[in-house]
Amino acid sequence: MTKKKWLIGIGGLIAVIVVIFGVLKVVNGNAPKAETSKSLEDEYGIEYFEVPDVEQVYINGIVQPNQMEAFSKDTRISGEPTIKVNHGDVVEEGTVLYVYEDKEVTKELEELNNQLSRNYTKRENVLVKWQRAIDNYNNASAEEQQATGGTLDEQYQSEIDSVDEEIFFINKQLNDLSTKQHLSTTAKFKGRVSIPEVKEENTPILTLTSDGFYVSGKVNEKDLPKIAVDKPAEITVISNNIAVKGKISYIDDNPLEGDGEMQSQEGSGGSMSNYGVKLTLESTEGIKNGYHVQATINLEDKQVEIPTKAIKEDGDKKYVLVNDFGSVIRRELQLGEAVGENTIVVSGIESADRIIVTSKKAVKEGDILDEKASEEKSSPSGNEE
């Protein structure tokens, strides 16, 4: 073989190798990569119903009692009050809650009672003397009786009258002071009594809280024109997902003091003030003073229907399971009438909820369907709506 032919052969072999390498690279580049992570959601074989997206306003708030009064110690009165109720009692309006005893008045009453006792003794002694004088008069001779001049009764009656006058005056003083000895404080409304376990200098004697609650919330100036008094609301307790119906009862015309040091709102193009809003609750079952809630105001009057087969029962409660950013949560519902294979939901669900209708594998509240999504929601940088 000549040198030229050998070089041509070597060059052709190299070209073939290059082509083969290129083909393999393309093939490997287009081949599907091995899946390193797979959403657990796929393993459950879930069929979802997406709640239609409706324009809504969200109001975050805190549950507060309609009436509450804390009773502090009266520093003008010495001594401690005597509490007449127990912690947890539900008392009616007018019930005596606690009583102060004015020790100075008690001391005066004791002295007056001693004076009264002495005057009654004095009166008895005068009556004894008077009776003895009468007996002596009856046993005396006619001359001795005549010598008295008939002044016997007048003398002792005058003494009795003087003592009776003193007794009347003391009793009047006792009656006046007795109303000041014990100072009672009564309930101004029906409520539940709370007595602090640890007593400190500024700790109230007790607190009276009404059984009725309302939600104190706030709304920013962007959403303020969208809402109105009497607008229905769906109110959800953040800690336990209890949902109740309510409505807006009051909207403040003035911004909250110091609330947003004019807080910046993302995408608003500036800062916005917040305004106070009050909402009434149709039910307070499972709701306590201080619970944090979110009220949802639907701006469109649309009836939402969901598949009836997605609805589950727990006693007399109806609920659905929802995929909430990778975690399964429970939403309790208030339902309307059935419409074919669907049921109208009055309250309990939110716009764009992903309701779990069926699944091949059992799904329960608390299950994690997508660990990554769940972690992103719970992380401080997660963009939870």
Side-chain angles (χ1 to χ4, degrees):
M1 182 181 293
T2 66
K3 183 177 181 181
K4 184 178 180 180
K5 289 182 177 180
W6 183 80
L7 290 173
I8 293 172
I10 291 296
L13 180 60
I14 292 172
V16 171
I17 292 173
V18 170
V19 171
I20 293 173
F21 180 77
V23 171
L24 290 174
K25 185 175 181 181
V26 171
V27 172
N28 288 334
N30 293 334
K33 295 180 180 179
E35 190 174 313
T36 56
S37 65
K38 185 179 182 182
S39 171
L40 295 177
E41 182 179 337
D42 296 337
E43 299 179 6
Y44 285 89
I46 296 174
E47 173 194 349
Y48 287 106
F49 172 79
E50 301 275 351
V51 176
D53 197 3
V54 177
E55 187 180 2
Q56 297 173 318
V57 169
Y58 298 99
I59 299 174
N60 294 318
I62 299 177
V63 175
Q64 296 186 356
N66 291 331
Q67 291 179 282
M68 183 172 70
E69 186 174 3
F71 297 86
S72 300
K73 188 178 184 300
D74 192 336
T75 56
R76 298 169 299 177
I77 302 176
S78 61
E80 295 296 323
T82 301
I83 299 176
K84 298 294 186 179
V85 291
N86 298 311
H87 178 75
D89 284 353
V90 175
V91 299
E92 298 292 333
E93 179 182 352
T95 301
V96 175
L97 301 175
Y98 59 90
V99 177
Y100 273 111
E101 179 185 357
D102 191 323
K103 298 299 177 76
E104 293 300 321
V105 173
T106 299
K107 186 176 180 180
E108 289 183 56
L109 288 172
E110 290 176 354
E111 177 57 33
L112 286 171
N113 277 310
N114 289 335
Q115 292 181 29
L116 186 63
S117 179
R118 289 195 293 270
N119 275 278
Y120 276 122
T121 300
K122 182 178 179 180
R123 191 178 194 281
E124 289 297 322
N125 289 337
V126 171
L127 289 174
V128 169
K129 291 179 181 179
W130 192 355
Q131 184 61 48
R132 187 181 301 123
I134 291 173
D135 292 341
N136 291 336
Y137 177 84
N138 292 332
N139 293 328
S141 62
E143 293 80 5
E144 290 173 334
Q145 290 178 352
Q146 189 175 5
T148 62
T151 61
L152 185 65
D153 287 345
E154 293 178 7
Q155 173 189 344
Y156 287 103
Q157 185 62 56
S158 176
E159 290 186 41
I160 291 293
D161 290 343
S162 176
V163 174
D164 284 346
E165 185 177 353
E166 183 68 18
I167 289 174
F168 175 81
F169 180 72
I170 292 173
N171 276 323
K172 188 175 184 307
Q173 286 183 293
L174 285 170
N175 289 333
D176 292 340
L177 280 177
S178 62
T179 61
K180 302 175 183 178
Q181 182 184 17
H182 296 102
L183 304 177
S184 300
T185 298
T186 60
K188 298 176 183 176
F189 54 88
K190 180 180 179 180
R192 186 177 300 275
V193 175
S194 176
I195 301 174
E197 183 178 3
V198 179
K199 298 290 196 312
E200 297 179 354
E201 183 178 355
N202 296 322
T203 303
I205 299 168
L206 56 83
T207 302
L208 186 64
T209 305
S210 65
D211 285 339
F213 296 119
Y214 72 95
V215 173
S216 174
K218 58 185 179 181
V219 64
N220 62 49
E221 63 187 70
K222 180 181 178 181
D223 290 331
L224 183 65
K226 302 175 183 178
I227 63 173
V229 171
D230 291 332
K231 190 73 175 174
E234 296 178 14
I235 300 168
T236 303
V237 180
I238 294 173
S239 60
N240 56 23
N241 285 322
I242 289 178
V244 298
K245 294 177 66 177
K247 66 179 180 179
I248 297 174
S249 60
Y250 173 79
I251 302 173
D252 201 338
D253 290 330
N254 300 305
L256 297 171
E257 293 183 6
D259 173 59
E261 300 252 327
M262 306 298 289
Q263 297 179 7
S264 176
Q265 305 286 336
E266 184 179 353
S268 66
S271 301
M272 289 193 286
S273 296
N274 290 307
Y275 292 78
V277 179
K278 290 184 178 180
L279 302 103
T280 57
L281 299 161
E282 286 193 5
S283 170
T284 57
E285 184 179 355
I287 296 178
K288 289 186 177 294
N289 180 21
Y291 275 11
H292 287 73
V293 301
Q294 185 180 75
T296 304
I297 313 296
N298 288 330
L299 302 181
E300 303 174 32
D301 294 330
K302 289 183 178 178
Q303 285 189 329
V304 177
E305 300 177 12
I306 66 172
T308 303
K309 61 182 179 180
I311 300 171
K312 303 180 184 301
E313 296 185 6
D314 181 6
D316 58 350
K317 296 180 179 179
K318 305 290 191 298
Y319 69 95
V320 291
L321 295 177
V322 172
N323 183 345
D324 183 52
F325 294 92
S327 300
V328 178
I329 65 171
R330 166 174 164 165
R331 292 205 191 282
E332 294 189 0
L333 309 175
Q334 291 187 11
L335 300 174
E337 61 183 8
V339 181
E341 296 181 352
N342 296 335
T343 300
I344 295 173
V345 177
V346 177
S347 68
I349 58 175
E350 296 182 2
S351 177
D353 268 348
R354 299 183 69 203
I355 296 176
I356 298 172
V357 181
T358 62
S359 62
K360 294 179 181 178
K361 182 179 176 181
V363 179
K364 65 181 184 302
E365 182 182 10
D367 283 346
I368 303 298
L369 302 179
D370 188 332
E371 294 181 359
K372 183 178 179 182
S374 180
E375 288 171 1
E376 287 178 353
K377 179 194 175 187
S378 60
S379 68
S381 59
N383 294 324
E384 182 183 355
E385 293 295 332

